[in-house]
């Protein structure tokens, strides 16, 4: 990852739990940096910039309204993120993933490929990729904790994607699902209160 914004200077990260934060399609890491102050300060936060230029912003892989994607692009992006994480993992007590919108697809893909690498996952206003190869690749010995927050009226994530995501998460994860009427395709302070409680319970406890 060429651009990463950290919540702590390097000398203060050792031994802390790491929360890796991935933004949505057509935005950048600043969207996640704004969440730093609302989350448990025991963590070190790292907001990554996606590698693919999307106009003046960034994305993890090309995407259309129907969430169609090139699986090779997905795997390439996931491999890049995992390589970066592995380069810093030894400094931290654990690694947890957070993804907003397309970033949730990235976070859940990383979990599916290497489930033992992550303490928990937070998905915000996003989706899980409906992909046969991914479904065949993962096998969870125990269900990983997963927080999924969204607005039921979010028009960006289509109904089929929401239905698949709900089914996959219910079947494969220890799911905490919350909805936030009026939030839209966004994140909210109320949601961060619930995310913080989830992180304290499953990561900090």
């Amino acid at each position: 990852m060429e651009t990463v914004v950290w919540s702590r200077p390097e000398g203060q990260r050792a031994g802390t739990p790491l929360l890796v934060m991935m933004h949505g399609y057509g935005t950048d890491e600043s969207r996640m940096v704004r969440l730093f102050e609302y989350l448990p300060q025991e963590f070190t936060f790292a907001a990554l910039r996606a590698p693919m230029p999307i106009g003046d912003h960034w994305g993890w892989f090309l995407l259309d309204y129907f969430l169609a994607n090139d699986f090779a692009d997905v795997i390439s992006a996931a491999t890049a993120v995992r390589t970066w994480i592995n380069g810093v993992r030894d400094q931290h007590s654990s690694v947890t993933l957070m993804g907003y919108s397309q970033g949730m697809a990235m976070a859940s893909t990383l979990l599916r490929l290497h489930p033992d690498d992550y303490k928990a996952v937070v998905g915000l206003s996003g989706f899980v990729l409906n992909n046969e190869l991914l479904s065949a690749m993962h096998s969870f010995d125990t269900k990983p904790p997963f927080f999924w927050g969204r607005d039921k009226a979010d028009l960006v994530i289509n109904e089929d994607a929401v239905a698949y995501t709900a089914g996959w998460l219910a079947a494969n994860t220890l799911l905490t699902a919350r909805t936030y009427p009026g939030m839209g395709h966004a994140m909210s302070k109320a949601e961060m209160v619930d995310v913080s409680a989830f992180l304290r319970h499953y990561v900090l406890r």
Side-chain angles (χ1 to χ4, degrees):
M1 299 290 98
E2 293 185 5
T3 301
V4 180
V5 178
W6 293 88
S7 64
R8 299 174 186 264
E10 186 172 2
Q12 297 178 15
R13 299 173 197 164
T16 59
L18 175 63
L19 183 64
V20 178
M21 307 171 76
M22 289 167 279
H23 62 78
Y25 190 75
T27 179
D28 62 31
E29 71 284 354
S30 65
R31 190 76 179 265
M32 309 309 289
V33 171
R34 291 198 289 269
L35 302 180
F36 286 3
E37 64 180 297
Y38 301 108
L39 296 168
Q41 296 303 298
E42 293 91 336
F43 282 85
T44 292
F45 310 119
L48 311 186
R49 176 181 293 179
M52 181 175 289
I54 306 294
D56 293 331
H57 298 285
W58 306 89
W60 301 99
F61 49 89
L62 288 177
L63 202 61
D64 64 16
Y65 170 75
F66 299 102
L67 307 183
N69 58 80
D70 184 327
F71 189 57
D73 287 345
V74 175
I75 293 299
S76 176
T79 299
V81 174
R82 184 170 187 258
T83 298
W84 180 85
I85 290 173
N86 285 345
V88 301
R89 178 184 299 278
D90 289 347
Q91 302 173 37
H92 299 279
S93 58
S94 65
V95 179
T96 296
L97 303 173
M98 173 185 282
Y100 162 68
S101 193
Q102 191 190 49
M104 178 177 165
M106 284 297 302
S108 55
T109 296
L110 286 161
L111 177 70
R112 294 163 87 175
L113 293 171
H114 302 282
D116 296 333
D117 285 0
Y118 308 107
K119 189 78 170 179
V121 178
V122 176
L124 308 172
S125 298
F127 61 98
V128 172
L129 288 174
N130 185 355
N131 181 277
E132 292 183 4
L133 289 174
L134 273 179
S135 296
M137 290 167 70
H138 68 73
S139 177
F140 298 163
D141 294 329
T142 58
K143 292 185 174 182
F146 202 113
F147 180 95
W148 184 29
R150 66 188 185 95
D151 181 355
K152 291 181 179 179
D154 183 349
L155 298 178
V156 173
I157 309 301
N158 67 67
E159 291 182 3
D160 289 345
V162 170
Y164 178 81
T165 298
W168 188 88
L169 290 174
N172 294 285
T173 73
L174 186 60
L175 179 61
T176 301
R178 298 287 184 269
T179 57
Y180 303 90
M183 183 175 69
H185 189 66
M187 299 169 282
S188 72
K189 292 181 181 178
E191 185 178 34
M192 291 307 106
V193 171
D194 292 340
V195 169
S196 294
F198 171 87
L199 292 172
R200 289 191 178 98
H201 181 76
Y202 287 108
V203 182
L204 298 181
R205 189 174 63 169

